[in-house]
Structures are given as C-alpha cells and as structure tokens.
Amino acid sequence: MSTTTERPAPIAAAAPAAQPAKARRRGEASPLAKALSHGALILASLIALFPVAWILYVSLGPDKTDYLHPGDILDKMTLANYSTVLSDTDFFTWFGNAFLVSGITTVFGVFIAASTGYAVSRMRFPGHRPLMWSLLVTQMFPIAVLIVPMYTILSELDLLDSYLGLILVYSTTTVPYCAWLLKGYFDTIPVEIDEAGRVDGLTPLGTFWRLVLPLARPGLAVAAFYSFLTAWAEVAFASTFMLSSDKYTLAVGLQTFVSEHDAQWNLMAATAVLIAIPSSVLFYLVQRHLVTGLTAGASKS
C-alpha cells in the first residue's frame, strides 16, 4: 500500500495595500493654482524685461530709423553706435557729472536721513511726530509744481547751473522717503544696545555711529540705492537747473540726440544701455540687503 504525501498549496502573496493619496497640507496651493501663479509670474517677468531687451536690440542697429524695421537689424547688427557715443559725444563728461552729483547726493542724503530717522526713533522731543508727517507731505507734490519755486530759490541763492544746487534739490527728494524707511528700521534695533553704549561711556553720536549704524546696514543699503537711482536717472530738475552743456548729466545729455528736426534713436538707445550699467552693478552689490531692509523698514514704519 503506497502512501502519497500531499504538499500544501502555496500561499498566494498578499497584494500590496493601496497607499492613500497624499493629503494636501493646510494653506498649500493646489497644482493648478501653482501652475497659474508661476505662469502669471513668468508673464509679468517677460513684460518687465521686454522694454530692456528692445532698447538693447535697437542699439545694435546702425541706422537711426532701424526701430521702424526691427526685422532688418538681425542682418546688420553692429556695435558702431556704442563706439560713436563713446568717441564722438560728451558721454564721459556727462558720466562724470552724473556720478559726482549722484555720489554726493547718496552720501549726504543717507547721512541726513539716518540722523533724522534715528532721532525720531529714539528721542521724544516736541514736534517729533509733526516732523515725520511733514516729511511725508512733501512727497505728495508733483515735480511740475516744485520746479518753478525751486528755480526761484536757486536763482536767489546763486546756485543755478551748479552741482551744489542740483545736489540740494535731489536731497530734498530723497531724504523724506529715506528718513521714513530708516526710522522704521531703527525701530527694529533694541534700545538696550543704545543703553549699553552709554554704559561703556559712548556719547549719543558715538552710539549712533559705532553701534547702531553697523546694525542698520540693510536699511542703509536700500536708502543708498534709492538715493543713487533718483539722482542718476532724473531728467526734469537737471534739464531745468543745469544750463551749461559741460555740466549736463547723463539723463540730460541723452536728450541731445533728439531735436526738432532730427532724432538719432540708435545713439539714444546705445546711451540708454550704457546708463543702465552702473545702476545694474550697484543693484548687484546691494541686492542681498534690499529685501531685509525693505521688509524691516515697512514692518515698523
């Protein structure tokens, strides 16, 4: 009698359990919302970059009417416009004047704004609130309203057609905004730092210069960047108050390419590109401070 041993049937492997769908965290945007937001940002970036790219493209066309036929520029791109601007115009004179005025405006304006902002942030003197509000009110007047009275004042002070007069005019534009910005930034610096400086024997000016200003570098960077750009690219005041051609700044010199009977748009485009280079370099140098300075100043202003 033979016996047969039955082998047990193999146990089927259990099917892997389906993983539950990953739940979206509260406040997290859906994929569709992310795609739409990224698309909107890309579109906004393209819109912002288009004028810059267009000016750069037109500056490569050799003829002054190439902007009317942009497709033809591709076949005859050249840097001749840049060489013409640099060698056959007063570009370096304009550049030196603009750099002088912008540099002094930046240093002077930031120092006055920092002193004002620190005083209002730390000290309580009669009229400190009206002082800040008066600075804010001065920003409400358009340039067209200010040109005539400023022209009269500069004429009476014998400051027309002078670098000092233009620097003072630019400072009146930059100081109010920068004072508000730096006041808000100084509010974020603990008062205990000032008290520690006095304990160590520092004067109020020494405390401000040696302790507070180094901590306020992001705010100072924003104020300096704003002051420099305001003076570097301003046209209305400079073209009205600077009467001598040897004292033109870059923005005023740019207007010489357009007259009643002629317009050299190719040279103007090349000059505009050259004007943008220093401001771009400055932005690259201070960009890491800009976000910190703007957000800190805005949160306490």
Side-chain angles (χ1 to χ4, degrees), residues 81-287:
N81 293 328
Y82 293 93
S83 61
T84 300
V85 170
L86 295 175
S87 60
D88 298 340
T89 68
D90 296 328
F91 176 82
F92 289 105
T93 301
W94 305 336
F95 184 91
N97 296 338
F99 190 81
L100 174 67
V101 172
S102 301
I104 297 179
T105 299
T106 300
V107 175
F108 178 73
V110 171
F111 177 76
I112 298 299
S115 304
T116 304
Y118 179 76
V120 176
S121 174
R122 291 295 193 265
M123 305 174 187
R124 292 297 176 264
F125 52 89
H128 76 279
R129 289 189 179 276
L131 171 62
M132 294 304 294
W133 283 111
S134 63
L135 292 177
L136 183 62
V137 170
T138 59
Q139 300 294 292
M140 300 180 182
F141 296 97
I143 293 179
V145 176
L146 298 175
I147 285 182
V148 173
M150 283 189 173
Y151 187 94
T152 303
I153 293 173
L154 293 180
S155 178
E156 293 178 354
L157 296 176
D158 197 22
L159 291 177
L160 278 178
D161 198 26
S162 68
Y163 299 126
L164 177 59
L166 192 60
I167 290 169
L168 292 176
V169 169
Y170 287 158
S171 297
T172 61
T173 304
T174 60
V175 166
Y177 171 78
C178 293
W180 266 97
L181 173 72
L182 292 174
K183 186 264 180 188
Y185 197 89
F186 289 139
D187 287 344
T188 65
I189 299 176
V191 183
E192 288 76 13
I193 293 178
D194 301 61
E195 297 173 351
R198 297 191 188 97
V199 171
D200 291 339
L202 292 176
T203 63
L205 179 60
T207 302
F208 169 67
W209 184 260
R210 297 180 60 181
L211 299 181
V212 178
L213 279 186
L215 296 175
R217 279 181 295 183
L220 294 174
V222 177
F225 184 67
Y226 172 79
S227 300
F228 183 86
L229 285 189
T230 299
W232 185 258
E234 201 279 328
V235 178
F237 288 140
S239 59
T240 303
F241 302 146
M242 306 305 282
L243 308 177
S244 301
S245 59
D246 60 337
K247 294 183 179 179
Y248 283 173
T249 60
L250 280 170
V252 182
L254 193 66
Q255 294 181 328
T256 61
F257 295 115
V258 179
S259 63
E260 183 179 357
H261 305 289
D262 188 24
Q264 298 173 311
W265 297 110
N266 54 334
L267 299 182
M268 177 179 282
T271 308
V273 173
L274 294 174
I275 291 175
I277 292 176
S279 55
S280 302
V281 172
L282 180 62
F283 174 79
Y284 175 78
L285 294 176
V286 304
Q287 62 176 333

Side-chain angles (χ1 to χ4, degrees), residues 53-63 66-67 73 81 265-266 269:
W54 177 257
I55 292 296
L56 179 60
Y57 180 69
V58 172
S59 70
L60 300 176
D63 300 325
D66 280 337
Y67 73 97
I73 298 179
N81 293 328
W265 297 110
N266 54 334

